Amino acid sequence: MISVIKYILFTFVIMFSMSCKTNHEASKSFNTLAYSEYGAEMEATQRLIKNQEDYESIYTKVYVNLSPAPEMPKVDFNKNAVIFLHFGGFNYGGISYEVKEIKQEDKDLNIHLIRHSPKPGEPALTVMTNPFMFIEVPKFKSEIDHINIIKVEKD
């Protein structure tokens, strides 16, 4: 009899804990629209773009030194948003970034990525690089106040 009561109590606790509202992160699907090591020189920045006008403005600025600039990928801002990541300037080439996951937690957007760079002793171009990317994501149901870059691994 006591084991039946323990079982019922245990089951109740598990079911209650599963039904409680938690602060879990929701993963977002994403699509990399553009990536390059050779963008315009600017500070490292992260920005959530919600409309065509801002998208065109940033796209034009980041490709200012490339003529002609690649055609701007189309985005339906009724359904999607764009995340712009600029990683700042480097005095060598061979750096690339790979987004592994994008998660929303409350008003924070956490972007988990891997930075790939030449290992010590490997050849690297001596050239100024300014890597950046545009990432398309489904629109967010709530406002985003902060974009956090979380480096998962480093080569």
Side-chain angles (χ1 to χ4, degrees):
M1 180 67 163
I2 291 179
S3 60
V4 171
I5 293 172
K6 285 181 180 178
Y7 176 76
I8 292 171
L9 183 61
F10 176 76
T11 304
F12 175 77
V13 168
I14 295 298
M15 290 180 71
F16 178 76
S17 66
M18 289 174 59
S19 68
C20 289
K21 186 175 181 180
T22 59
N23 197 15
H24 289 291
E25 295 182 344
S27 290
K28 291 295 229 178
S29 60
F30 63 91
N31 176 36
T32 302
L33 298 171
Y35 176 84
S36 177
E37 283 188 58
Y38 303 104
E41 187 176 332
M42 58 176 65
E43 295 292 320
T45 188
Q46 306 88 34
R47 180 147 178 218
L48 182 62
I49 304 169
K50 300 178 189 177
N51 61 62
Q52 187 69 30
E53 184 180 335
D54 290 346
Y55 179 45
E56 289 174 5
S57 174
I58 293 172
Y59 195 88
T60 302
K61 284 178 188 171
V62 79
Y63 279 113
V64 71
N65 296 328
L66 189 60
S67 183
E71 185 176 334
M72 185 169 59
K74 297 192 182 332
V75 175
D76 180 355
F77 284 98
N78 293 317
K79 297 178 184 175
N80 299 311
V82 172
I83 301 166
F84 171 66
L85 303 176
H86 194 291
F87 301 100
F90 298 90
N91 60 2
Y92 58 92
I95 297 174
S96 65
Y97 292 87
E98 176 186 354
V99 176
K100 297 304 282 180
E101 188 172 38
I102 298 174
K103 291 183 175 183
Q104 180 182 4
E105 182 177 3
D106 296 326
K107 293 187 176 197
D108 285 347
L109 186 61
N110 298 320
I111 301 173
H112 300 256
L113 58 79
I114 297 174
R115 175 183 159 175
H116 302 280
S117 57
K119 293 180 179 18
E122 288 183 340
L125 292 174
T126 304
V127 60
M128 291 300 297
T129 59
N130 291 280
F132 69 90
M133 65 174 59
F134 288 91
I135 306 164
E136 182 180 35
V137 292
K139 264 190 168 178
F140 298 96
K141 292 179 182 172
S142 60
E143 283 296 313
I144 299 295
D145 288 341
H146 303 336
I147 297 176
N148 304 306
I149 302 297
I150 300 168
K151 293 180 179 149
V152 193
E153 302 172 22
K154 186 176 177 182
D155 281 353

